[in-house]
Amino acid sequence: MDKDGQGELSAIITGFNYAVSQGTDIINMSLDYQNGNPTAYPAAYNEVVAVGSVNKSNQHASYSNTGNHLELVTYGEDSIDGSYPNPLQWIYSSYYKIDWNASVVYIGEYLYAGTSQATPQVSGLIALMIAANPNLTAIEIKTILRQTATDLGDPGKDDIFGYGLINPAAALNTTNLSLTPTTQPSCGADLDCSGSVNIQDYQAWLNSSSGDLNGNGIIEITDLVNVLYLWIKI
């Protein structure tokens, strides 16, 4: 982008390719709001995490695009009445500021609002996740972010908030759990060690951390399948 924030898509792609060739794990990018909420690329690619913005009341920010490709939201701030963002609610950010009268660009710290303020928060969270577990794949990262997000708006994924508001503590906790394999219970799917797999074991799986039967640090559907399979088999 030039000093006016303008540029060609080809230049952005060239920048992406160079960053990847240098071993970059995360690329953060924010582009301007587009009227009509079109399906925008590269945000809509499956490999990309499309980020929207909410204000401090967890309400949709007026400038933030929506759509089926939106995955997550976080705080970019906004005005209460939905008009142009209120500076009192802006985020202190590293940014450039243009003095149009003097044709001068200033680089520094300023109060701003926008998806440009929201997106780096998600990028930073992903960086922390990779630092905690360098073996995480892109799919695993997206899955953790989706599963740990705080649902907003309509239940489940929607076009305004995606999967919801990022929850850094929950995402990092899940990441750390995946680092340390747990010891599989000595009685396997027989969680109460009664000598048989029965309805009590199913209840134990629902209510206890000992339900991590495959020892991957996460209680998930595969653990339930183990309990139900052995219960039915016996």
Side-chain angles (χ1 to χ4, degrees):
M1 297 294 186
D2 61 21
K3 67 181 181 66
D4 298 324
Q6 304 296 316
E8 299 293 331
L9 180 59
S10 59
I12 296 176
I13 294 174
T14 299
F16 282 173
N17 290 335
Y18 175 77
V20 172
S21 71
Q22 298 301 304
T24 301
D25 292 318
I26 305 165
I27 297 176
N28 179 92
M29 185 177 71
S30 302
L31 296 178
D32 288 340
Y33 171 82
Q34 300 182 50
N35 291 327
N37 293 314
T39 300
Y41 292 88
Y45 286 122
N46 290 332
E47 297 82 1
V48 176
V49 178
V51 179
S53 177
V54 295
N55 63 20
K56 64 180 181 180
S57 300
N58 291 341
Q59 298 171 328
H60 173 250
S62 60
Y63 53 77
S64 184
N65 281 116
T66 61
N68 185 57
H69 62 286
L70 182 67
E71 287 203 58
L72 299 162
V73 296
T74 190
Y75 299 111
E77 296 307 323
D78 198 0
S79 62
I80 295 175
D81 61 5
S83 62
Y84 192 73
N86 182 349
L88 295 178
Q89 300 177 32
W90 286 3
I91 296 174
Y92 201 59
S93 312
S94 298
Y95 223 79
Y96 67 84
K97 186 176 182 180
I98 303 174
D99 184 338
W100 297 104
N101 294 323
S103 297
V104 176
V105 178
Y106 299 97
I107 306 296
E109 305 294 325
Y110 300 94
L111 287 169
Y112 275 93
T115 51
S116 295
Q117 280 60 51
T119 304
Q121 297 176 50
V122 178
S123 298
L125 174 55
I126 293 174
L128 290 174
M129 294 168 66
I130 293 175
N133 185 354
N135 295 320
L136 283 176
T137 66
I139 293 177
E140 289 171 334
I141 290 171
K142 293 185 73 170
T143 298
I144 291 173
L145 290 173
R146 291 173 176 180
Q147 292 179 345
T148 59
T150 301
D151 191 22
L152 299 177
D154 294 335
K157 185 178 185 295
D158 60 66
D159 289 355
I160 298 177
F161 302 102
Y163 289 93
L165 178 70
I166 61 168
N167 187 330
L172 290 172
N173 183 54
T174 301
T175 300
N176 290 329
L177 281 176
S178 67
L179 282 173
T180 308
T182 58
T183 302
Q184 184 167 332
S186 59
C187 299
D190 180 18
L191 297 182
D192 61 1
C193 294
S194 65
S196 64
V197 179
N198 49 41
I199 188 63
Q200 282 72 34
D201 298 305
Y202 174 65
Q203 291 294 335
W205 182 84
L206 291 176
N207 301 315
S208 172
S209 60
S210 62
D212 180 24
L213 297 178
N214 60 12
N216 69 349
I218 305 173
I219 298 177
E220 55 192 1
I221 190 63
T222 54
D223 300 308
L224 174 59
V225 170
N226 281 334
V227 173
L228 295 180
Y229 172 75
L230 291 175
W231 179 26
I232 295 171
K233 182 178 179 181
I234 292 175

